[in-house]
Amino acid sequence: GALVLVTDIFGFNANRVRQFSDDIAAGGFTVLVPDLLKDAAWPVGVPTDRDKIGEMIQTRGSWAHLAPELTNTWLPYLRAQGHTNIGFVGLCWGAKIAIQAGTLPGIKGAALLHPSRLVPEDAAAATCPLLVLPAGNDADMAPIMAALGTTWAAQ
């Protein structure tokens, strides 16, 4: 199988993205980490500015902007390599893109790690299984879980 790993706002070269993808690949998966944000990724070490980040997400980081690249380039590439079982993993902002990718035909599942900016409509529209893994300080996931027709049991 293959996984498309959608990074957080810091992009392809930040944090432990490569280590994380290598660890998944060691489990036998092909892992594709597309540089979706390119030069719009927030620079590591620069203090975050919620307004500027929100603007970037609404434009360069929006599903409307990224879906054509995913559906016309990256997913066909994986299918050409013989992959028929393709899933998404999204980190923080990337979880928003991963859940939206869960509406695409043939996507087998999406894992949402430390998800941000999710709305119930995202969950209701997904047609694949979802794994939702919020961190302790994340937004309440109860509305997302309700849209999925389940309840949330916080530990």
Side-chain angles (χ1 to χ4, degrees):
L3 292 171
V4 178
L5 176 63
V6 184
T7 68
D8 59 17
I9 61 164
F10 300 102
F12 181 79
N13 290 309
N15 302 321
R16 295 188 176 135
V17 170
R18 291 181 185 192
Q19 178 185 350
F20 184 56
S21 60
D22 287 347
D23 290 345
I24 295 170
F29 291 91
T30 295
V31 181
L32 177 70
V33 187
D35 188 11
L36 295 174
L37 293 176
K38 299 174 182 53
D39 63 333
W42 196 261
V44 175
V46 173
T48 56
D49 178 320
R50 293 183 68 81
D51 292 335
K52 289 182 181 179
I53 290 170
E55 181 181 312
M56 181 272 293
I57 288 172
Q58 293 301 315
T59 56
R60 297 284 301 278
S62 71
W63 179 247
H65 182 80
L66 298 174
E69 181 177 347
L70 288 166
T71 59
N72 297 327
T73 302
W74 299 117
L75 293 176
Y77 169 79
L78 289 171
R79 290 184 179 117
Q81 303 303 309
H83 294 290
T84 56
N85 293 318
I86 301 172
F88 276 75
V89 175
L91 309 174
C92 196
W93 155 81
K96 174 83 168 177
I97 301 303
I99 198 171
Q100 291 171 315
T103 64
L104 299 173
I107 299 304
K108 302 298 184 185
L112 316 175
L113 287 69
H114 176 51
S116 72
R117 299 182 179 262
L118 301 184
V119 294
E121 294 79 12
D122 294 330
T127 57
C128 68
L130 300 172
L131 174 64
V132 183
L133 298 170
N137 62 343
D138 286 344
D140 183 11
M141 291 288 115
I144 303 304
M145 301 313 282
L148 293 170
T150 188
T151 58
W152 182 254
Q155 298 293 322

